[in-house]
Amino acid sequence: NLWFASTQSIIVMPRTEAEESGALADRFRSAVGLDKITKYADNLDMIRDLAEMKDIDLSGLTDTDLAALLATMVGPDDAAAREERLAAWDPVELLVPEWNYLQRPSLFPKQENDSGLMVTEMPVADQLKTLVQRVVAVDKMKRVNAFIGFTRLDEMDRVGDVSSRLVKIVRNGGPTWVPATEDRGEGIFIQLDLDEVSAWEGDVRDSAIWQAHREAHRRNFQRRFSETAKFVDPDTRMPAPRYWLLHTLSHVLIREMAMKAGYGAASLTERIYGWPDAPGRDAAAGLFIGTTASDSEGTLGGLVALAEPAKLGPLMVSALRRASRCSSDPVCAMRTPSDPEDFLHGAACHCCAFASETSCEKANRFLDRRLLLTLPNGTSDSVRGYFGDVHGR
C-alpha cells in the first residue's frame, strides 16, 4: 500500500442555464486556450471556427450570447480569480450542488431527464418526525467517478492533504482529460432537522469526549508522513460533530438495509452531507445511501423501496436499537482516545459500526455511537446522543 489512487465522484444533476454556460466556458477555455480566446474575442467567426475544430458546438448561441460568454472568459481578473479559487478549493464544494438539489426534489418529476436523475419525496414516518426532516427516494441516478492521480504512503483525503502531494497522471503539464466511469443505480436520501442538529452540536462541542477526539486528531495529523502537517492547522480538517453523527448513522443503516434490500453490505455506499454554516455555504445535515453498477440501466429497486414510511420508520428504529448494544461492550462503549493514542473513532468497532472499505468514504474513521445514542453504559463524561435513549422511546 505505498501508492493510493485519488478519485473524485459526483452524482449527475440537471444543470441550470448558468451552470450550462459555465461548463461550456470551462470546456472552451481548456480546449482552445485563453490566449487564443483573448486574441480573437472580437472576431466571432474565428471563435466559431476554433470551436468547430475542437468539436465544441456553439450553434445554439446567438452572437450576443457568444459575446457575453467570451466576456466572462477574458475578463481582466479571470485568471487571477481562477487561481485563487483553485488554491482555496475544498472537496466539500463537490457536494454542495447535490445537497442544494436534494432540498428541492419537486424539481425532478418522476420521469426521464437529461441527467438521468429521478427522485420522489416521501412522507416522514411518524416515529422519525421529531428528528428527521426529509426523506427522498432516488429512483434512478448516475454517478461519475474520475481518477485524477496517486498519492504516496497515505490516501489523499485522509487529512485533507495539500495538493502538492498528488502525483499527476501525466509527465508534463496538466492532463486535458482523466479516466472516468459512469455508474447507474438507486438510493435513499435522509435529511436530519437542521435546527435540532445545530442545537445538539453546540452541546457536543463543549463535552469532554469531543475534546478527546480533537486532541487525538491533532496527534494523528502531526504523525502523518505528509507535507500537509507542515502547512495546515489540523483543527481546520477535523469534521464537525454533525459529520460524526451522520457517518455513524449511515453505517448502522447500511448494516440494517443490507438485510432488507437484497444487496450485500459491500454493495451499498454512503455520501455524507455534514458541514456547519460557512461563508457562502449554508449548513447541511444529511446522508445518501445508494448502490450503483456500471453494467446495468438502473437497479432492481430493492433499496429505494425502503424509503416508504411504513418500511423506513421501523428499519431506522431497529438499526438504532442494534447500535445501542455491541458484543464488545462495555469496552467499545467507553472507548475514548487519550495520549499517546491517536485513533480517529470512539465507541465503534467491527462488531457494531464499522463497514467494508467499499462502503465507507472515510476508511472507518470519525465514528462514535455515543454521538448517535445516549448509551446506557457510558461514563460520567458521556454526551447526549442525537437520537437519545432509543430503548426509552
Side-chain angles (χ1 to χ4, degrees):
N1 286 339
L2 295 180
W3 293 90
F4 290 86
S6 182
T7 61
Q8 297 286 357
S9 68
I10 60 168
I11 296 175
V12 180
M13 299 279 174
R15 285 176 174 165
T16 64
E17 290 185 7
E19 290 168 338
E20 288 283 2
S21 177
L24 179 61
D26 288 341
R27 185 185 172 198
F28 193 64
R29 185 189 295 109
S30 175
V32 177
L34 189 58
D35 291 340
K36 285 187 177 180
I37 295 174
T38 304
K39 182 178 180 180
Y40 299 111
D42 296 330
N43 188 340
L44 298 186
D45 290 336
M46 178 62 74
I47 289 292
R48 291 185 185 276
D49 289 341
L50 290 173
E52 185 177 355
M53 292 172 59
K54 298 296 183 178
D55 295 324
I56 299 175
D57 184 13
L58 299 180
S59 60
L61 297 180
T62 65
D63 286 349
T64 302
D65 293 337
L66 180 56
L69 182 67
L70 293 172
T72 63
M73 288 190 282
V74 300
D77 298 326
D78 182 74
R82 285 174 59 82
E83 289 296 326
E84 183 178 348
R85 290 196 302 269
L86 182 62
W89 185 79
D90 184 342
V92 169
E93 297 300 327
L94 285 177
L95 299 175
V96 172
E98 298 175 14
W99 167 259
N100 291 337
Y101 274 117
L102 289 169
Q103 302 307 290
R104 300 171 289 172
S106 59
L107 293 179
F108 312 107
K110 197 168 182 179
Q111 60 186 18
E112 287 288 350
N113 53 57
D114 292 340
S115 70
L117 183 67
M118 293 170 54
V119 306
T120 307
E121 185 163 15
M122 306 296 290
V124 179
D126 291 340
Q127 58 265 60
L128 305 177
K129 283 184 177 179
T130 57
L131 299 174
V132 174
Q133 184 172 336
R134 177 176 288 111
V135 174
V136 178
V138 181
D139 305 274
K140 279 190 176 183
M141 56 168 276
K142 288 193 296 186
R143 187 177 67 185
V144 176
N145 313 287
F147 165 61
I148 59 176
F150 289 97
T151 54
R152 284 276 288 169
L153 302 177
D154 201 14
E155 292 177 284
M156 185 67 178
D157 69 343
R158 190 172 180 89
V159 286
D161 265 317
V162 292
S163 59
S164 61
R165 284 200 63 234
L166 185 67
V167 180
K168 297 179 180 179
I169 58 177
V170 295
R171 290 182 181 273
N172 300 311
T176 58
W177 62 275
V178 296
T181 62
E182 183 180 275
D183 301 335
R184 298 175 183 269
E186 59 172 324
I188 301 174
F189 170 75
I190 300 172
Q191 177 184 334
L192 302 186
D193 186 287
L194 292 172
D195 293 334
E196 291 283 350
V197 169
S198 180
W200 167 86
E201 190 173 50
D203 295 337
V204 171
R205 288 186 184 277
D206 297 330
S207 68
I209 288 176
W210 184 247
Q211 296 307 314
H213 283 319
R214 286 184 60 191
E215 293 301 324
H217 181 261
R218 290 171 181 167
R219 291 190 291 269
N220 183 287
F221 196 93
Q222 296 298 336
R223 293 169 184 172
R224 303 236 60 82
F225 295 99
S226 168
E227 291 295 322
T228 304
K230 298 179 182 179
F231 304 109
V232 178
D233 178 2
D235 285 349
T236 64
R237 303 300 189 187
M238 175 72 165
R242 68 179 66 202
Y243 185 94
W244 291 62
L245 162 66
L246 292 160
H247 196 200
T248 310
L249 176 60
S250 174
H251 278 219
V252 301
L253 286 177
I254 285 175
R255 285 171 165 249
E256 194 73 18
M257 287 178 176
M259 295 186 288
K260 306 289 186 182
Y263 298 105
S267 300
L268 303 180
T269 58
E270 65 184 3
R271 214 162 171 80
I272 309 299
Y273 306 91
W275 55 83
D277 279 313
R281 188 166 68 202
D282 293 333
L287 60 93
F288 173 78
I289 297 176
T291 180
T292 57
S294 58
D295 60 350
S296 62
E297 289 283 338
T299 54
L300 299 176
L303 180 60
V304 74
L306 297 179
E308 298 175 6
K311 295 180 180 179
L312 187 61
L315 184 147
M316 284 191 66
V317 171
S318 176
L320 292 171
R321 283 178 175 163
R322 289 179 189 273
S324 68
R325 293 285 189 269
C326 174
S327 58
S328 294
D329 283 345
V331 175
C332 177
M334 295 187 290
R335 182 183 291 112
T336 304
S338 58
D339 196 15
E341 296 168 329
D342 64 356
F343 51 84
L344 301 179
H345 65 275
C349 68
H350 288 284
C351 300
C352 59
F354 282 5
S356 66
E357 63 182 48
T358 57
S359 300
C360 180
E361 67 178 26
K362 289 294 185 182
N364 284 317
R365 289 167 287 117
F366 312 124
L367 298 164
D368 196 330
R369 290 184 294 131
R370 288 169 296 192
L371 303 185
L372 185 67
L373 299 163
T374 304
L375 300 184
N377 50 359
T379 59
S380 59
D381 62 352
S382 61
V383 67
R384 176 179 66 89
Y386 179 76
F387 288 94
D389 181 1
V390 72
H391 291 282
R393 284 175 174 259

